[in-house]
Amino acid sequence: MIQLSQRMVALGTDRSEIREAYAFAQMRAAEVGAEKVDDFSIGNPSVPAPATVAEAVHQLVDTVDPIKLHGYTPAQGDAAVRQALAEDLNRRYGTKYPADSLYLTAGAAGALSCVLAALGCPGDEFLTFAPYFPEYKVFVESAGGTLTVVPANIEDFQIDFAAFSAALTPAVKGVLINSPNNPTGVVYSEETIRRLAETLTEKSREYGHPIWLISDEPYREIVYQTQPLPWVPSWYDNTLVCYSYSKSLSLPGQRIGYVLVPPQVQEAELVYAAVCGAGRALGYVCAPSLFQLVAAQCAGQTAELAVYRRNRDLLLDALREMGYTCAQPDGAFYLFPRTPEPDAAAFCQRARKYDLILVSGDSFGCPGHVRISYCVPTEQIQRALPKFQALAKEYGLIK
Ligand code: PLP
């Protein structure tokens, strides 16, 4: 019998509910035809990358020496690319970040892994808020820490500060937030960020050590509200930002993003060094070199995001009309309505009778809810509405 890490075997074989639902949808599509299956399981952007991405790729392939284009870059990323990305942030947020505050990564997942490995010492506790992106647990535990989940405030999915304060003990090393949120689509208000910053400042002082705020922002540009998204590092100094071009530029397969260690972070140079060290220890070497250059050329642009808003309005209005309860989702491309029975998995099973594929909130640490990933063609939503309606009738939401 070979000796393997049992943890890694478990991680490699336990399929997430999202993947299972997606595989089920594919299987049903093969059996009954794709046009009969309405799959809302996965968060793969449904709009293409903007044309400027393809133009940048062509131009780079045509003009840059292939040895440089496909070669290793410095571990933290090409210096000119980091300069361009820092300037883009400075333009948008009125900041003065130098190129050396950015560390380029393989998407937000790479950024989170590096930050958690950089901060986490064995036994460290990290907090996050339900519902949360399930990979957080994997990344935190891989860094030797433990993840504690603060219960959800299911009224509006802003932070429940009483529950948060109770969980914020001296053992907490960092707090992970994600706004706009997967799976709720909720955007943290300025009031929430202000109170979060106040609480962390007060507790850091009381406990005599910094409590790091890790802001996971792959959906930063996908917002439907008129008020601007609060820029978290402007509210709390010890914030580390994990960003990705997966969603804003529809490039999830190209694996490009960054960690931002703003200069006002306590011992910023040391923290940045630890992030670089984490990337080295995890074997990332450098972020994909071609797409570093593409990101620099396309910084500040987005894919055509209007379809997501159309989808959200169509689905949200219809579901509310049918009697479903759903917190206001002003960003990302997910809805997270309450299920009409407490057992969300049972609701998802019932939905499958109609070949309507959803993911239960249990996967995100929030039972009694279901995630609907609406980054799909609008016609799919139109086609699926009668299925949601039939379910609503089954549960007596509508007569
Ligand atoms: N964080 C959240 C909240 C996500 O939803 C995702 C992907 O869906 C990620 C991080 C990872 O994104 P990336 O593709 O940039 O690694």
Side-chain angles (χ1 to χ4, degrees):
M1 184 72 172
I2 54 170
Q3 293 286 314
L4 294 169
S5 156
Q6 288 312 302
R7 179 167 179 265
M8 293 304 158
V9 171
L11 280 176
T13 46
D14 285 359
R15 226 172 4 174
S16 75
E17 192 193 326
I18 301 171
R19 292 279 151 191
E20 189 280 323
Y22 179 67
F24 178 80
Q26 301 276 302
M27 187 196 79
R28 285 297 291 159
E31 281 171 13
V32 300
E35 70 293 345
K36 295 210 173 68
V37 181
D38 293 319
D39 179 14
F40 294 95
S41 66
I42 205 154
N44 222 349
S46 58
V47 295
T52 44
V53 166
E55 284 158 23
V57 171
H58 285 297
Q59 185 254 320
L60 290 163
V61 168
D62 289 343
T63 59
V64 180
D65 174 2
I67 299 292
K68 174 170 160 48
L69 191 63
H70 303 299
Y72 294 122
T73 70
Q76 64 267 56
D78 179 89
V81 170
R82 289 183 294 113
Q83 182 64 34
L85 300 187
E87 280 169 13
D88 175 55
L89 288 175
N90 294 340
R91 216 173 14 249
R92 286 156 69 190
Y93 300 112
T95 50
K96 292 199 173 75
Y97 300 139
D100 280 349
S101 53
L102 287 170
Y103 174 83
L104 303 189
T105 60
L112 288 161
S113 305
C114 289
V115 163
L116 289 161
L119 299 178
C121 304
D124 276 346
E125 187 181 339
F126 289 85
L127 290 189
T128 197
F129 301 91
Y132 66 99
F133 183 53
E135 295 303 286
Y136 290 167
K137 191 165 154 53
V138 178
F139 302 149
V140 167
E141 289 178 359
S142 297
T146 55
L147 183 70
T148 300
V149 180
V150 179
N153 166 8
I154 63 166
E155 286 315 308
D156 57 8
F157 294 115
Q158 300 289 320
I159 291 175
D160 173 344
F161 279 93
F164 176 45
S165 297
L168 195 53
T169 68
V172 174
K173 184 73 165 278
V175 176
L176 265 156
I177 58 169
N178 168 226
S179 168
N181 185 266
N182 174 10
T184 62
V186 165
V187 175
Y188 279 166
S189 65
E190 191 171 291
E191 169 68 4
T192 293
I193 298 295
R194 185 185 62 74
R195 287 186 68 187
L196 175 64
E198 274 172 15
T199 308
L200 291 175
T201 304
E202 192 188 304
K203 290 293 176 187
S204 296
R205 207 171 290 138
E206 185 184 327
Y207 299 153
H209 63 79
I211 304 170
W212 304 99
L213 181 58
I214 303 156
S215 184
D216 178 27
E217 306 184 358
Y219 303 95
R220 189 197 290 150
E221 285 79 15
I222 308 180
V223 279
Y224 314 116
Q225 60 186 28
T226 44
Q227 35 320 17
L229 214 61
W231 176 242
V232 182
S234 306
W235 289 89
Y236 184 65
D237 281 351
N238 284 321
T239 300
L240 305 174
V241 176
C242 296
Y243 182 74
S244 163
Y245 294 93
S246 293
K247 317 285 172 171
S248 58
L249 284 176
S250 289
L251 293 174
Q254 303 300 347
R255 315 305 305 134
I256 188 76
Y258 60 73
V259 177
L260 170 73
V261 182
Q264 71 266 28
V265 159
Q266 192 170 328
E267 306 213 48
E269 277 183 30
L270 209 59
V271 175
Y272 187 80
V275 170
C276 295
R280 180 179 175 191
L282 291 166
Y284 281 122
V285 182
C286 64
S289 50
L290 172 59
F291 274 81
Q292 289 189 32
L293 297 170
V294 172
Q297 289 204 14
C298 299
Q301 302 175 16
T302 63
E304 185 48 72
L305 305 174
V307 65
Y308 297 142
R309 175 193 285 269
R310 236 184 359 257
N311 288 358
R312 183 209 56 168
D313 291 350
L314 178 63
L315 192 54
L316 182 65
D317 290 352
L319 290 182
R320 283 180 171 164
E321 186 80 7
M322 291 172 201
Y324 293 96
T325 304
C326 188
Q328 184 62 25
D330 279 323
F333 38 53
Y334 308 102
L335 297 189
F336 200 61
R338 278 184 214 169
T339 47
E341 64 174 309
D343 184 346
F347 176 79
C348 291
Q349 281 309 322
R350 275 213 203 189
R352 284 190 183 188
K353 277 192 322 200
Y354 301 94
D355 282 315
L356 183 60
I357 316 299
L358 311 171
V359 179
S360 85
D362 301 68
S363 308
F364 305 93
C366 189
H369 293 75
V370 65
R371 187 184 81 167
I372 307 172
S373 191
Y374 61 79
C375 45
V376 297
T378 306
E379 306 74 67
Q380 180 182 321
I381 294 176
Q382 278 154 346
R383 200 175 56 194
L385 288 182
K387 300 182 179 183
F388 283 107
Q389 188 152 28
L391 270 168
K393 275 202 180 127
E394 277 193 39
Y395 283 99
L397 297 182
I398 40 176
K399 299 286 167 260

